[in-house]
Amino acid sequence: SYMALMKTAVIPEFFARLKQAMPEPETELEYENHFHLLVAVVLSAQATDIGVNRATGPLFKAVKTPAEMVALGERKLIDHIKTIGLFRTKAKNVIALSQLLIERHGGEVPRDHAALQDLPGVGRKTANVVMNVAFGEATIAVDTHIFRVGNRTGLAPGRNPLQVELKLLKRVPEEYRLHAHHWLILHGRYTCKARTPMCPNCVVADLCTFRGKTTLAV
């Protein structure tokens, strides 16, 4: 069931408060270059950023480029990432996308949404993260946290991630769009949690239309 829609008039205040609480939000994935970022985001599907960072620490010391990833090969890549969910499929995709980056894009990560989505293992969400974090485009990638926060708060209710994304692009004021997805992810990860949202600790609780607010301070 949909939440009541958050009033459009309070949305700037909603983001102003999140910005005040987290002035410089960043992805929690660790990377040194655009290729690392792309690989880390592909690996992060259905995995935690902490778990991905643990695996990519040693991997990214050894591998800096698509050519070095292809040279490493699938078997050795699996050794690096086998603590991450779906590691076999992800290893296959990372090697394949590395080959395509070499063949089609001179070994560089393309600054192009469609070209990114043509890479194996790269869906709309991954392409949006790369466009936002690497290239500073005001895209909004909807992960489980953003999907939940968009629906629960009434900010951007939708039945699926694409509906939530399109509603956010319409409703988030332009000045907040660049960092919106980081603010919403961090808010969902640390405050507006899946099982028990920490409403008493929340800086936007009075703007949110969620009817099941928790009352115990944690």
Side-chain angles (χ1 to χ4, degrees):
S1 67
Y2 275 162
M3 299 299 136
L5 200 62
M6 184 184 291
K7 290 189 176 69
T8 305
V10 304
I11 293 176
E13 177 65 14
F14 180 90
F15 281 99
R17 292 187 200 171
L18 292 181
K19 179 179 182 169
Q20 199 178 358
M22 303 173 267
E24 294 289 325
E26 286 179 346
T27 178
E28 294 185 318
L29 291 171
E30 289 162 8
Y31 63 97
E32 290 171 41
N33 59 40
H34 291 166
F35 175 61
H36 281 176
L37 174 67
L38 175 60
V39 170
V41 179
V42 167
L43 294 177
S44 73
Q46 289 161 48
T48 66
D49 288 357
I50 294 164
V52 172
N53 289 340
R54 208 175 290 136
T56 57
L59 174 64
F60 289 164
K61 276 196 183 70
V63 172
K64 311 281 184 196
T65 65
E68 288 173 356
M69 188 67 81
V70 172
L72 180 73
E74 205 173 312
R75 269 226 313 280
K76 283 194 182 134
L77 177 55
I78 282 175
D79 284 339
H80 277 284
I81 68 168
K82 59 177 182 278
T83 54
I84 300 174
L86 311 174
F87 63 89
R88 284 205 170 79
T89 306
K90 288 174 181 177
K92 206 178 244 72
N93 284 336
V94 167
I95 298 297
L97 75 80
S98 299
Q99 282 168 326
L100 283 181
L101 289 175
I102 295 163
E103 287 166 24
R104 291 182 189 167
H105 304 291
E108 300 291 322
V109 175
R111 185 177 184 152
D112 180 86
H113 208 277
L116 285 166
Q117 272 195 256
D118 280 342
L119 298 169
V122 178
R124 184 178 178 88
K125 184 195 137 209
T126 300
N128 276 343
V129 173
V130 172
M131 291 303 289
N132 182 278
V133 176
F135 301 119
E137 299 277 341
T139 53
I140 297 178
V142 176
D143 70 349
T144 58
H145 296 297
I146 296 190
F147 185 72
R148 178 176 70 253
V149 171
N151 275 294
R152 188 190 266 161
T153 61
L155 173 66
R159 284 188 200 84
N160 56 53
L162 184 59
Q163 283 185 358
V164 171
E165 179 187 333
L166 296 176
K167 200 160 280 181
L168 285 168
L169 288 172
K170 218 165 54 196
R171 301 196 87 208
V172 177
E174 198 161 328
E175 62 180 300
Y176 296 115
R177 211 163 293 150
L178 180 61
H179 292 312
H181 97 256
H182 287 134
W183 282 316
L184 295 171
I185 285 172
L186 294 168
H187 186 60
R189 191 173 284 160
Y190 299 114
T191 303
C192 199
K193 295 177 178 179
R195 289 209 183 89
T196 313
M198 295 159 72
C199 303
N201 301 9
C202 175
V203 296
V204 290
D206 59 313
L207 307 177
C208 157
T209 64
F210 181 49
R211 293 194 187 93
K213 288 198 178 81
T214 58
T215 52
L216 285 175
V218 184

